[in-house]
């Protein structure tokens, strides 16, 4: 039983100097300091449990998100946790509809990142009070309760509450076996850690050979800044991993649409499974054009880490603009909004491969993707997450 009144919300600006070693660097973020706006919720309950939630940020951006979290705090403080999760859709709607704060969103940008951090902390506290990891809390929840956490506003043309329930009902078959499979074998993953853009070739080689020794079979390489560099680096990695293992490429929004097609045509010889974020994350039709042009080369488009909200994901799916959908546990409005995107992806039969290249993201998103496999997609095909 969830209980307690929220008595304190604190938010910390946590930063790691990753830019010093070029860790996390890509064609657009050349000096990223992996950081987080880190929220802690306390209640007056005697169990002493706290809820921890983050949103991923980069360096100085963190101070802006911390401000936004503080601006949202009055919505949470002195609220009964039972009331919050008992009407989670209403609470999500309350946070995202704040009459003054929504002007600097709505449901996008800093204010949405802050919403994610706060709601991630609420979910964490709920799971802790139930004595379960988050994925298990979700897996054990009945479909009606699960969908009652989702705000369906703006997506009912594609997914209604009834349809969402049906999807969850249908996936009840084989759920127990899939849960056992996850507990025994875990979820397949890929690594990005070998090939950040700022790494010299020697580092790339060393990390790649270590990753191969550790048993990795899927590798993502950063591309997009300089074509000749990309050709050299992709050749190096492909030669090291051999023809059978999987290679993905990530351009972090560097290109215009025709440029993306041209550039990827030149990198096609390295047989990438996908090109991630080839262009602006807001350009739905641009992604669709790139998808269409690259399909004959066997290259899929992946995107989502900077996709603002469920509406953009809805349109990417409607426009057949992506072959791999990358949810982010901190960019969308926490579990609540991610649930709606997982269900839409299932409806369109698009595999979900979460984004996790940042501090804390792997830890968070594993809960969502394990839930997705057990309770929604029921498939591991084409779905490595990093
Ligand atoms: C700045 C970050 O490291 C990004 O480069 C990273 O999230 C990346 O896009 C990824 O897909 O992991
Ligand atoms: Mg990426």
């Amino acid at each position: 039983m969830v209980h307690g009144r929220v008595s304190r919300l604190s938010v910390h600006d946590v930063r790691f100097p990753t830019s010093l070693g070029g860790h996390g660097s890509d064609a657009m973020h050349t000096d990223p300091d992996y950081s987080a706006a880190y929220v802690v919720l306390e209640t007056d309950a005697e169990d002493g449990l706290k809820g921890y939630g983050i949103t991923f940020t980069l360096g100085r951006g963190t101070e802006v998100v911390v401000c936004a979290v503080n601006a949202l705090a009055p919505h949470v403080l002195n609220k009964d946790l039972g009331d919050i999760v008992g009407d989670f859709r209403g609470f999500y709607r309350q946070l995202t509809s704040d009459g003054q704060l929504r002007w600097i969103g709505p449901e996008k940008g800093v204010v949405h990142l802050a919403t994610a951090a706060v709601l991630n902390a609420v979910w964490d506290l709920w799971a802790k009070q139930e004595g379960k990891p988050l994925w298990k809390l979700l897996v054990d929840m009945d479909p009606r309760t699960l969908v009652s956490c989702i705000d369906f506003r703006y997506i009912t043309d594609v997914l209604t509450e009834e349809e969402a329930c049906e999807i969850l009902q249908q996936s009840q078959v084989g759920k127990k076996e899939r849960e056992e499979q996850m507990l025994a074998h875990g979820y397949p993953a890929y690594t990005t850690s070998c090939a950040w853009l700022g790494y010299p070739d020697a580092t790339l080689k060393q990390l790649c050979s270590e990753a191969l020794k550790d048993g990795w079979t899927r590798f993502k390489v950063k591309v997009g800044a300089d074509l000749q560099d990309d050709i050299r680096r992709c050749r190096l990695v492909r030669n090291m991993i051999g023809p059978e293992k999987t290679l993905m490429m990530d351009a972090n929004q560097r290109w215009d649409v025709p440029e993306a097609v041209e550039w990827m045509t030149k990198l096609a010889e390295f047989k990438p499974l996908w090109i991630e974020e080839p262009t602006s994350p807001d350009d739905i039709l641009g992604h669709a054009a790139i998808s269409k042009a690259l399909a004959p080369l066997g290259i899929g488009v992946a995107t989502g880490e900077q996709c603002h909200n469920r509406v953009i994901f809805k349109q990417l799916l409607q426009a057949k603009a992506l072959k791999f959908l990358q949810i982010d546990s901190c960019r969308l409005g926490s579990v609540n909004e991610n649930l709606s995107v997982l269900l839409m992806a299932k409806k369109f039969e698009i595999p979900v491969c979460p984004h996790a290249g940042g501090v804390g993201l792997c830890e968070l998103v594993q809960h969502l993707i394990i839930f997705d496999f057990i309770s929604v997609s029921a498939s591991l095909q084409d779905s490595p997450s990093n």
Side-chain angles (χ1 to χ4, degrees), residues 8 39-43 47-52 121 124-126 128-129:
R8 184 154 185 254
V39 173
V40 185
L41 289 182
E42 292 170 54
T43 74
D47 58 20
L49 292 174
K50 295 179 186 174
Y52 297 89
D124 182 57
L125 188 53
W126 185 6
K128 281 197 178 120
Q129 287 198 357

Side-chain angles (χ1 to χ4, degrees), residues 61-92:
T62 317
E63 58 206 50
V64 187
V65 183
V66 164
C67 277
V69 169
N70 281 321
L72 286 171
H75 289 287
V76 192
L77 282 172
N78 299 316
K79 292 277 153 57
D80 191 84
L81 192 64
D83 290 345
I84 292 179
V85 304
D87 177 20
F88 220 159
R89 174 184 302 159
F91 187 69
Y92 175 92

Side-chain angles (χ1 to χ4, degrees), residues 3-4 29 50 65 72 84 107 124 156 294 314 363:
H3 56 278
H29 312 97
K50 295 179 186 174
V65 183
L72 286 171
I84 292 179
E107 292 184 83
D124 182 57
T156 51
L294 296 183
K314 178 188 80 171
E363 287 73 13

Side-chain angles (χ1 to χ4, degrees), residues 22-326:
H23 315 301
S25 55
D26 62 51
M28 296 298 259
H29 312 97
T30 47
D31 59 348
D33 280 335
Y34 274 11
S35 307
Y38 194 105
V39 173
V40 185
L41 289 182
E42 292 170 54
T43 74
D44 60 7
E46 281 176 6
D47 58 20
L49 292 174
K50 295 179 186 174
Y52 297 89
I54 64 157
T55 190
F56 172 61
T57 50
L58 294 181
R60 284 179 294 120
T62 317
E63 58 206 50
V64 187
V65 183
V66 164
C67 277
V69 169
N70 281 321
L72 286 171
H75 289 287
V76 192
L77 282 172
N78 299 316
K79 292 277 153 57
D80 191 84
L81 192 64
D83 290 345
I84 292 179
V85 304
D87 177 20
F88 220 159
R89 174 184 302 159
F91 187 69
Y92 175 92
R93 178 79 69 93
Q94 183 188 328
L95 248 67
T96 53
S97 306
D98 181 301
Q100 297 183 356
L101 294 179
R102 80 179 297 286
W103 198 261
I104 56 168
E107 292 184 83
K108 61 170 88 74
V110 174
V111 76
H112 211 42
L113 293 171
T115 301
V118 171
L119 291 177
N120 280 341
V122 172
W123 279 98
D124 182 57
L125 188 53
W126 185 6
K128 281 197 178 120
Q129 287 198 357
E130 300 285 352
K132 295 176 180 179
L134 175 70
W135 67 265
K136 181 70 173 149
L137 175 76
L138 296 171
V139 162
D140 290 349
M141 218 179 264
D142 70 281
R144 281 273 158 220
T145 313
L146 265 174
V147 301
S148 77
C149 300
I150 300 173
D151 187 351
F152 285 88
R153 186 188 259 174
Y154 310 134
I155 58 169
T156 51
D157 50 335
V158 154
L159 185 77
T160 62
E161 189 165 347
E162 276 317 305
E163 277 177 296
C165 268
E166 270 164 39
I167 291 175
L168 289 164
Q169 282 299 355
Q170 276 160 14
S171 302
Q172 298 289 316
V173 185
K175 228 174 112 175
K176 197 167 157 291
E177 291 72 20
R178 289 193 295 276
E179 183 172 335
E180 280 161 13
Q181 184 185 339
M182 282 294 103
L183 288 168
H185 304 292
Y187 195 87
Y190 70 82
T191 180
T192 315
S193 304
C194 310
W196 298 112
L197 204 70
Y199 283 172
D201 289 2
T203 308
L204 203 153
K205 270 192 217 160
Q206 190 203 328
L207 293 175
C208 198
S209 80
E210 281 170 19
L212 283 164
K213 271 193 219 122
D214 290 342
W216 290 95
T217 57
R218 301 168 171 115
F219 298 76
K220 193 163 85 182
V221 179
K222 292 287 172 181
V223 296
D226 180 282
L227 181 60
Q228 291 316 315
D229 268 2
D230 288 352
I231 292 175
R232 195 189 68 251
R233 286 155 46 82
C234 290
R235 177 163 295 133
L236 198 157
V237 174
R238 182 46 97 195
N239 284 342
M240 284 189 79
I241 68 175
E244 301 306 327
K245 298 199 170 59
T246 306
L247 182 69
M248 297 95 147
M249 298 179 187
D250 187 354
N252 287 86
Q253 313 159 22
R254 179 70 181 238
W255 303 314
D256 279 13
V257 174
E259 198 182 9
V261 175
E262 251 171 66
W263 202 297
M264 284 312 298
T265 305
K266 303 228 169 75
L267 296 181
E269 62 171 298
F270 306 109
K271 303 268 175 264
L273 173 68
W274 77 49
I275 177 62
E276 179 172 325
E277 291 201 298
T279 192
S280 161
D282 300 349
D283 190 352
I284 295 152
L285 297 182
H287 276 84
I290 298 167
S291 280
K292 201 168 167 201
L294 296 183
L297 300 175
I299 305 171
V301 166
T303 194
E305 70 184 64
Q306 297 223 356
C307 183
H308 299 306
N309 53 43
R310 64 193 177 287
V311 186
I312 305 285
F313 274 120
K314 178 188 80 171
Q315 291 201 12
L316 285 164
L317 289 164
Q318 285 175 309
K320 297 190 179 18
L322 78 182
K323 203 165 164 217
F324 303 93
L325 185 150
Q326 301 180 296

